[in-house]
Amino acid sequence: MGKSPVNADEARGNKPKLSLHVPEPHYRPGDAVDFSHVEITKAGDQARPDETCDAKDTHPLCLDLIRVLGDDDKAHGPWNPRLSPDTLRTMLHNFALVRAFDERMHRGQRQGKTSFYMKCTGEEATSVSAAMALASDDMVFPSYRQQGILIARGYPLVEMINQIYSNKGDKLKGRQLPIMYSSREHSFFTISGNLATQTPQAVGWAMASAIKGDSRIAATWIGEGSSAEGDFHSACTFAAVYNAPVILNVVNNQWAISSFSGFAGAERTSFAARAMGYGIAGLRVDGNDALAVFAAQQWAANRARSNAGPTLIEYFTYRAEGHSTSDDPSAYRSAHEREEWPLGDPVTRLKKHLIDLGEWSEEQHAAMDLACADEVKAATKEAEKNGILGHGLHHPFSTMFEDVFEELPWHLKEQSEQAIREREIKWPEGKKP
């Protein structure tokens, strides 16, 4: 091993000292907010390449921002999916139902009915509109803020609330953190609290679908912060190498709990630009534009189904509220960010577009909001019959031995039987809690 100079400082002479860059958000609590540094392109100005184009033809779109809904509330340009008014109303209803569900579940957590909840306020389009662009049996591998997918696919609200309350009606038997749903019937893969694990799983599932000669594709969602995890980059490598029929959705909501997107690389370039390095198609989309989100997801789905390869989509949006019920965003970001966000609110923008088309009104919207709130309230009351946090209504403890092994090993059988006997001694028949 070579020896360093006796006097290292003298050896370096007048060479400049290195300095470490630490990303810092534009605004902290108490700061005035000015989003003029965010480049917002004109709606309709972005080219729409053929769905089977060479991946490099999409790379300019990795740095642009695909938009359909303009400031005039009209749809513009080649990315306009030209959805029917009925489809747009269904999409708006799903938005409203997600928002009503979030409000009541958040309130339930504050009332002690559950331990944890995560809202997706301001990001509804990235799940609802995207889900509506997929086939109902395409396999989705979500993160923890995609409740809109389940709602768009018609999953019963009561079942969602049972899972959140971890009560005796919970189909997952209380084994998952609240909001980490799973439904084989709705092609909704189990949510994992370990970030980014779902991305290689989605790619692997898509590869298996291709090996079998199936027609189903996979789509996965991840936050921009989690895209810095190694699993995400492994997924991109496998997707590129094996041309997997998969869509990699990155929801860039500007904040990964208390650290802003710069810590994941946002200061250098867009997250969609990572597609360039892997040689796959990439799109950067206005995540608060319901029509742009639908169009981009549909484009990527058609591309995957045509064996043209994977697509990485960045949805540029904003997390309007806290990361979760455990988070206080006022501790690390300006309170004015939400109201100053230049891309607005996805619900309001879609509502205004339908009104502009003459297919909706403020009165209809108010009535829909009220109906959604009533629907969620009724589902909540039904689910609460199965129990809430701390009320003792949950699956029998013996179920901890189930659903792990196809055949229960002898030693676990003994433990299960022993636990049942001890419980019977402690709580004789008729005196159980």
Side-chain angles (χ1 to χ4, degrees), residues 51-56 202-211 214 216-218 234-248 275 278-282 299-312:
E51 292 157 347
T52 58
C53 69
D54 193 294
K56 67 177 182 294
V203 173
W205 191 96
M207 290 169 59
S209 185
I211 290 169
D214 202 345
R216 300 167 69 195
I217 65 170
S234 295
C236 289
T237 298
F238 273 82
V241 170
Y242 294 100
N243 213 42
V246 65
I247 306 170
L248 303 164
Y278 289 103
I280 62 178
W299 186 94
N302 290 341
R303 180 177 178 83
R305 262 182 262 279
S306 301
N307 289 315
T311 304
L312 193 163

Side-chain angles (χ1 to χ4, degrees), residues 310-322:
T311 304
L312 193 163
I313 304 177
E314 174 190 352
Y315 291 122
F316 193 69
T317 182
Y318 184 77
R319 194 193 78 210
E321 299 197 19

Side-chain angles (χ1 to χ4, degrees), residues 101-284:
F101 186 83
D102 276 359
E103 287 298 325
R104 182 160 284 275
M105 292 300 99
H106 184 272
R107 194 182 320 144
Q109 191 278 335
R110 294 305 193 221
Q111 294 170 342
K113 295 179 179 179
T114 185
S115 60
F116 183 78
Y117 192 73
M118 299 182 78
K119 299 173 77 173
C120 64
T121 309
E123 303 174 43
E124 291 89 352
T126 65
S127 57
V128 171
S129 301
M132 291 180 66
L134 297 170
S136 60
D137 62 349
D138 286 335
M139 182 62 80
V140 296
F141 292 76
S143 185
Y144 41 55
R145 216 183 298 275
Q146 276 75 55
Q147 51 266 50
I149 298 175
L150 277 179
I151 286 177
R153 289 190 168 184
Y155 191 70
L157 297 181
V158 172
E159 298 295 347
M160 294 178 71
I161 300 170
N162 283 338
Q163 197 282 324
I164 291 167
Y165 287 168
S166 298
N167 59 27
K168 68 177 183 180
D170 176 14
K171 290 185 175 180
L172 302 186
K173 301 181 180 179
R175 296 173 177 175
Q176 274 279 37
L177 186 72
I179 62 90
M180 294 189 178
Y181 319 99
S182 176
S183 177
R184 181 190 295 271
E185 297 75 18
H186 294 79
S187 299
F188 190 96
F189 199 82
T190 304
I191 297 173
S192 172
N194 297 316
L195 302 183
T197 58
Q198 70 272 23
T199 48
Q201 292 167 351
V203 173
W205 191 96
M207 290 169 59
S209 185
I211 290 169
K212 292 188 298 183
D214 202 345
S215 61
R216 300 167 69 195
I217 65 170
T220 183
W221 281 254
I222 192 173
E224 89 285 347
S226 302
S227 72
E229 295 279 348
D231 280 352
F232 173 76
H233 296 279
S234 295
C236 289
T237 298
F238 273 82
V241 170
Y242 294 100
N243 213 42
V246 65
I247 306 170
L248 303 164
N249 296 297
V250 177
V251 181
N252 177 9
N253 65 13
Q254 314 306 312
W255 291 93
I257 194 162
S258 58
S259 63
F260 88 115
S261 58
F263 281 99
E267 288 184 338
R268 304 302 179 183
T269 187
S270 70
F271 291 96
R274 293 178 179 176
M276 300 181 192
Y278 289 103
I280 62 178
L283 305 172
R284 185 168 176 262

